[in-house]
Amino acid sequence: MKLSGYIPIAVVTAALAVVPFISSSNTLFNFMVMSLIITLAAQGWNILGGVAGQTSFGHALFFGVGCYTASILQVHVGLNAWVAFLLALLAGAAAGFILGFLSFRAGLRGSYFALITLAFAELMRILANASEWTGGAAGLLLKLDPGFANMQFESRASFLWLALAFVFVGLVISRAIAGSRFGAHLVAVRENEDAARALGVDVLSVKLKAISLSGAMTAAAGVLYVQNFLYIDANIGFGVWISVEALLAPLVGGRGLVLGPLIGTFTLHGLGELTKSFAGRIPGIDLMVFAVVLIGVVAFASGGVLGLVRRFAPRLARRIAI
Amino acid sequence: MYSPTILIEAMINGLLTGAIYALIALGLTLVYGVLHIINFAHGAILASAMFAVWGLNVLGGIDPYLSILFLAPVFFALGYGVQRLIIGPAAKDDDGNILLITLGLSIFIENALLAGFGSDTRSISSDFSFSVVEAGPFLISSPRLVGFAGSLVVTALLWFIMSRTDAGKAIRAVAKEKLGASLMGIDVGHVYALTFGLGCAALAVAAGLLMPTFYVNPRVGGAFVNIAFTIVVLGGMGSIPGAMIGGLLIGLVESLSGLLLGESLGQIGIFIIFILVLLLKPTGLFGAKA
């Protein structure tokens, strides 16, 4: 892969990084941090669901594993936040590997795969709600103790940059995959699994690598979530909301594309904020907009926002390599 | 330990509730069998039907059971329209797309209910809601008994429609061989909408049967839809007898695991069955090939 493929990533990251210098609005900070956390979860989804074509409806499984691994290790074991973070990544990858090993070996595809991911996430939600280690229905509270070692920061800008750094790494990984042999295998599996197998691609191993990486990335988003809010319960960690968020963003931004999850999250949440400012604080109104956008994208613009750029400005699309 | 009376009573109540679950799963399995799509909006449609039953009762003083007569045709028409106007045109023969469209519909309906009614939980309770029938040493909830009977009636009705009417024959023809059916002059789009409408009508009946003993809030569909997925997978996607037997089994499992493991873990048995069936025999007990 040529280096030019990384230029859009550098430009977008730099543009987001200067935001704290321009405005210190708390609303804007919260919006940015939450969007970056969801972007990271969506980047994880995109590798499995977008590039490899295995539509998961249960990425909450990985998000929750990330949340709970990080918090349990800090609260009950007293582990350093960064070590806990690394172990949470491993736990997310392991969760992905186990789910993938069970379901891909059983030959589950399409709707069946979507259903089993949903079932695993719900199973974990019920267990987390009932177990003592997770604080049960009351949830777990992390101690407020700002400092780099605890992955907590006095200034909101520092946390924003941390989240942005995570997203940047996610973008670089996605770009590297897109230009690699592994990436080509993923696309082959998505387009025609049987043909890929016939051409000598080890489909199971390719899918397992994709789901493990996907699990680790989405678990990282979970870690960011707990480090920011310092609280987790079963309905947040393993709730349907994050499965939906992780899947919506890449679809709206551009399924399978490197910048898809980022563009999608900011588009959706931007629209959500706009709706709220026009319609007031009616509960659910922003999600109604999400739903209309989702149906509209699937029906009329299956390439998402970046697909539209490709269609209407092909020269621009080539120049910024999307 | 639990006395045999309590265990048997729990089993009876589980089977009775299971029949209503079966009714909810019936529409899901029918739509899967004909359209080959998993309708993620199923739970949200059920929630809106439950709100309709609640609204008719609170505003019009109409009995939940009576409201079925009015709501079943209305939901049939709504389902017909949604399939014709939204799902059909947007689907473009791509299974993944339909899955996402129904997910979008589900998010839309759920949040429209939230915006309209707020997140409060509402219920209809009358003396009948708490009345019981004494059968020997066992106490059986009367509304659950009515629900059981209602579910059997609807299943019989659906069986009659599918096996004895022209519409039913057209539905079966499309389910078996879409292209062949369309070559024989069957309007496939109409049959799809008809099937979706039937599924929604069954949900309206289920809503009427559920409301005397259950509560409704905008998110209630989620709980039911997971149960319905499990039943459909267990019984075999597309199988009507499978949905009925699967429903009864799941009702039994839920009731017993609730009794033995406690309220918060009650649903765990359902998900374990769900996962095991998917992994070991994704075609279910009665299903054709996946």
Side-chain angles (χ1 to χ4, degrees):
Chain A
M1 191 68 202
K2 286 181 303 190
L3 211 61
S4 65
Y6 293 89
I7 292 172
I9 295 175
V11 172
V12 170
T13 312
L16 290 171
V18 296
V19 168
F21 296 114
I22 298 167
S23 164
S24 58
S25 147
N26 233 343
T27 318
L28 183 68
F29 268 98
N30 291 338
F31 169 79
M32 293 265 301
V33 165
M34 199 57 201
S35 298
L36 287 169
I37 291 173
I38 290 175
T39 299
L40 191 57
Q43 285 176 317
W45 187 94
N46 200 36
I47 289 177
L48 182 70
V51 185
Q54 310 298 312
T55 305
S56 153
F57 274 28
H59 255 55
L61 173 66
F62 308 129
F63 186 83
V65 164
C67 289
Y68 276 111
T69 311
S71 359
I72 288 173
L73 288 176
Q74 290 176 70
V75 173
H76 293 308
V77 187
L79 213 61
N80 171 283
W82 293 90
V83 180
F85 160 65
L86 290 178
L87 291 173
L89 286 189
L90 275 181
F97 185 87
I98 293 167
L99 171 62
F101 187 78
L102 292 171
S103 47
F104 292 141
R105 265 181 45 122
L108 298 182
R109 298 186 197 181
S111 314
Y112 287 91
F113 179 69
L115 280 179
I116 200 155
T117 56
L118 183 81
F120 267 98
E122 281 291 299
L123 186 69
M124 291 300 286
R125 191 179 62 79
I126 296 173
L127 287 176
N129 218 352
S131 157
E132 252 174 58
W133 270 69
T134 58
L140 274 181
L141 211 53
L142 267 71
K143 205 166 61 202
L144 175 68
D145 186 8
F148 183 79
N150 297 331
M151 219 196 255
Q152 295 178 27
F153 304 93
E154 292 280 7
S155 95
R156 305 279 287 135
S158 304
F159 196 85
L160 195 155
W161 285 323
L162 176 75
L164 186 60
F166 278 39
V167 167
F168 175 75
V169 172
L171 289 169
V172 169
I173 292 174
S174 307
R175 166 54 76 200
I177 289 174
S180 72
R181 191 181 170 79
F182 172 56
H185 284 170
L186 291 178
V187 173
V189 167
R190 175 183 73 200
E191 295 302 325
N192 190 332
E193 197 176 314
D194 299 317
R197 188 175 290 114
L199 287 172
V201 176
D202 184 348
V203 172
L204 179 64
S205 138
V206 164
K207 280 177 165 181
L208 283 177
K209 279 181 199 151
I211 198 172
S212 308
L213 184 60
S214 178
M217 278 171 95
T218 303
V223 176
L224 276 184
Y225 186 96
V226 290
Q227 298 303 133
N228 184 53
F229 293 98
L230 302 179
Y231 172 76
I232 186 66
D233 71 21
N235 290 329
I236 298 171
F238 293 111
V240 177
W241 72 276
I242 184 68
S243 296
V244 170
E245 291 269 12
L247 145 154
L248 270 180
L251 291 175
V252 169
R255 188 174 187 162
L257 301 173
V258 174
L259 287 172
L262 181 80
I263 304 280
T265 311
F266 278 83
T267 307
L268 274 171
H269 284 256
L271 279 174
E273 289 299 316
L274 272 179
T275 322
K276 277 184 195 161
S277 65
F278 281 116
R281 293 267 155 192
I282 303 171
I285 198 102
D286 50 334
L287 286 171
M288 283 168 75
V289 173
F290 280 26
V292 172
V293 172
L294 169 65
I295 295 175
V297 164
V298 174
F300 305 111
S302 53
V305 173
L306 294 176
L308 289 177
V309 174
R310 261 188 187 167
R311 195 191 306 167
F312 293 109
R315 281 177 60 194
L316 175 71
R318 260 199 306 279
R319 186 169 309 158
I320 60 173
I322 55 175
Chain B
M1 271 317 286
Y2 299 96
S3 75
T5 319
I6 292 179
L7 274 177
I8 293 171
E9 209 169 85
M11 286 168 80
I12 294 172
N13 276 322
L15 283 173
L16 296 182
T17 310
I20 303 182
Y21 290 164
L23 188 56
I24 297 169
L26 218 52
L28 199 62
T29 209
L30 188 67
V31 167
Y32 184 85
V34 180
L35 282 73
H36 300 287
I37 62 171
I38 291 178
N39 175 20
F40 267 90
H42 204 68
I45 297 171
L46 176 68
S48 55
M50 288 169 80
F51 266 110
V53 174
W54 173 83
L56 285 176
N57 182 266
V58 170
L59 301 174
I62 299 169
D63 185 84
Y65 297 136
L66 202 63
S67 65
I68 291 173
L69 294 179
F70 169 73
L71 287 176
V74 168
F75 270 77
F76 175 80
L78 280 175
Y80 191 97
V82 164
Q83 164 61 29
R84 261 271 135 111
L85 300 174
I86 300 173
I87 301 178
K92 287 182 281 185
D93 282 334
D94 183 332
D95 286 355
N97 279 354
I98 312 181
L99 208 64
L100 294 167
I101 297 268
T102 61
L103 177 71
L105 266 180
S106 147
I107 300 171
F108 185 84
I109 298 171
E110 194 177 301
N111 287 286
L113 291 174
L114 187 67
F117 296 96
S119 55
D120 292 348
T121 287
R122 295 149 205 269
S123 59
I124 302 173
S125 61
S126 59
D127 293 342
F128 183 71
S129 302
F130 303 104
S131 68
V132 287
V133 175
E134 281 181 51
F138 310 116
L139 296 178
I140 298 161
S141 141
S142 320
R144 287 190 199 206
L145 216 53
V146 174
F148 182 76
S151 171
L152 292 186
V153 169
V154 173
T155 311
L157 202 66
L158 196 65
W159 175 83
F160 179 80
I161 293 174
M162 294 297 279
S163 60
R164 292 282 186 277
T165 65
D166 284 345
K169 283 174 190 159
I171 290 175
R172 274 162 43 217
V174 170
K176 202 149 217 156
E177 179 54 62
K178 189 174 84 177
L179 184 62
S182 73
L183 290 175
M184 302 313 286
I186 293 174
D187 178 351
V188 173
H190 170 69
V191 168
Y192 277 6
L194 210 61
T195 312
F196 207 84
L198 279 176
C200 291
L203 285 181
V205 181
L209 296 174
L210 277 171
M211 274 318 282
T213 48
F214 220 80
Y215 61 87
V216 61
N217 65 43
R219 308 218 179 277
V220 84
F224 285 108
V225 88
N226 285 330
I227 293 175
F229 283 150
T230 312
I231 293 169
V232 167
V233 165
L234 179 65
M237 292 213 195
S239 162
I240 290 174
M244 187 38 86
I245 292 168
L248 295 176
L249 277 174
I250 290 298
L252 203 60
V253 168
E254 186 194 42
S255 177
L256 286 179
S257 59
L259 183 70
L260 302 174
L261 299 173
E263 196 65 34
S264 64
L265 283 172
Q267 281 215 320
I268 214 157
I270 296 178
F271 283 104
I272 289 172
I273 291 183
F274 191 13
I275 290 169
L276 286 180
V277 174
L278 274 173
L279 291 179
L280 301 176
K281 197 172 186 307
T283 52
L285 301 174
F286 297 89
K289 65 179 191 318

